[in-house]
Amino acid sequence: MDDIVTEHAGSVLRVQFNRPTKRNAMTSAMYVALAGIFNEAAKDENTRVVLWHGAGDSFCAGNDIQDFLKNPPGPGESPQAKLMEALVNFDKPIVVAVQGAAIGGGTTMLTHCDFIYAAESTKFHMPFINLALVPEFGSSCSVPARIGHVRAAELILLGTPFDARRAAEMGLVTEVVSDKDALARATDTARKLAAKPAAALQASKRLMKQPFREQIKAAMKAENGEFSTQVRSEDAKEALTAFLEKRKPDFTKNIKSPATT
C-alpha cells in the first residue's frame, strides 16, 4: 500500500496521506515522494489545484520517530528540505482538509497552504521545543508574521497545543467545520478554484507570496542549519529516547556543574 495516494478529478489533484494506523506520520521516503508530487503538479498543465488530506482520523502526526532516528536531517538537501523547497515555490492553490492530529510538520506544512478547513476534532501542536528541536518549514518566520510574536511564543517556545477554534481565532485556518463535512468543504473550494482562469489564479498567488517568499526561504535555511545541530545534541537524544520509552525527559542531567576554584 502506498503511503501517499494521488488521484486526478478533472483539473484537481487529490493528495492523500495513507498511513492511518500511524496517524499519517511522515517517513523520509514520504517527504521525497511528496516533494516529487508537488514538483510534478507545478509543471502539469492539467493540474490547477491541489486538494490535500489524510486517511483515517488524523491529518499528520509529524515525523515517524523510528524513521527519524535512523535518518536525522542534515543542513543540506535533506528529504524535509526537498519538500520545503517544493512548497515554497508552488504557485497553484493548495486546499487542505485537516482532522485529528496535526503535529509538528503536520502543522507547519499548513503554513504554505491557501485554504485550510479544520474539522472540529483537529488538535494542532508544534512540540519542537519539547524534543529539544527548533521549528521547521519557515514557521519561525511565518507564524509570528501572521499572529504576532506573543502568540507565536506561546505556540513555539512553550509548545502549547491548540484546537481548531483557537487556530481560527488566530487566523491560522480558513474555517472550522464538522468532521463529516471537512473534506467535502475543501473539495467544493478546490472545484471552484479549478473553474477560475488558471494563469490569473497562479499569477495572483505569486503576487501575494512575492513580498515574503525570500524571507521564508531564508528562515528555512536558518532553521535547517539549527535543526541539524540540535537534533544531534544530548538534549534531543534524551527527548527522543524518552518519547519512545513513554516517559518524561530529564534535561537537567545534561547541565554542567559550575567550575570550582
Side-chain angles (χ1 to χ4, degrees):
M1 184 183 296
D2 292 336
D3 290 338
I4 300 175
V5 175
T6 61
E7 178 186 37
H8 262 104
S11 53
V12 175
L13 174 64
R14 183 176 67 87
V15 178
Q16 181 189 49
F17 289 138
N18 194 38
R19 295 184 80 205
T21 59
K22 298 290 187 179
R23 296 194 300 168
N24 299 315
M26 294 282 285
T27 63
S28 295
M30 288 173 70
Y31 280 110
V32 173
L34 193 56
I37 288 167
F38 275 102
N39 287 332
E40 285 299 315
K43 296 181 288 186
D44 180 14
E45 293 183 359
N46 294 320
T47 298
R48 293 189 172 196
V49 182
V50 170
L51 173 64
W52 192 1
H53 65 110
D57 59 6
S58 290
F59 174 65
C60 176
N63 285 307
D64 181 302
I65 297 297
Q66 294 280 10
D67 180 83
F68 182 78
L69 287 171
K70 294 177 186 175
N71 304 286
E77 282 296 310
S78 68
Q80 291 86 347
K82 290 180 180 179
L83 178 57
M84 293 175 199
E85 183 177 3
L87 287 174
V88 78
N89 290 321
F90 196 74
D91 288 333
K92 298 176 182 181
I94 304 173
V95 183
V96 193
V98 188
Q99 79 284 353
I103 301 171
T107 291
T108 57
M109 285 187 288
L110 298 175
T111 62
H112 297 276
C113 301
D114 305 291
F115 297 85
I116 304 164
Y117 295 97
E120 292 172 339
S121 67
T122 309
K123 301 298 181 186
F124 298 97
H125 195 191
M126 294 184 284
F128 303 105
I129 196 73
N130 301 332
L131 297 172
L133 301 173
V134 298
E136 57 185 3
F137 282 90
S139 58
S140 63
C141 174
S142 61
V143 173
R146 290 186 188 190
I147 68 175
H149 176 87
V150 171
R151 282 178 164 178
E154 182 183 3
L155 306 185
I156 294 174
L157 301 184
L158 272 179
T160 304
F162 55 106
D163 61 16
R165 295 290 174 191
R166 183 95 195 279
E169 289 169 4
M170 293 187 290
L172 292 174
V173 302
T174 305
E175 186 180 346
V176 180
V177 293
S178 68
D179 281 51
K180 66 181 179 65
D181 293 330
L183 183 56
R185 184 77 174 87
T187 302
D188 181 60
T189 295
R191 288 172 178 165
K192 287 178 180 177
L193 289 165
K196 306 286 185 187
L201 195 64
Q202 292 173 43
S204 296
K205 178 172 174 176
R206 273 197 308 274
L207 289 167
M208 291 171 66
K209 291 179 70 174
Q210 184 177 344
F212 55 88
R213 195 193 300 256
E214 293 307 315
Q215 291 179 325
I216 297 295
K217 287 183 177 180
M220 286 178 175
K221 183 177 180 180
E223 288 171 355
N224 291 346
E226 288 285 358
F227 199 103
S228 66
T229 298
Q230 296 301 326
V231 76
R232 291 162 175 81
S233 70
E234 291 301 317
D235 279 344
K237 290 175 185 176
E238 166 63 13
L240 293 167
T241 301
F243 178 87
L244 293 173
E245 294 176 353
K246 295 181 171 55
R247 61 174 175 81
K248 287 186 177 182
D250 179 8
F251 297 121
T252 61
K253 63 185 181 182
N254 294 325
I255 298 175
K256 293 180 181 180
S257 300
T260 57
T261 56

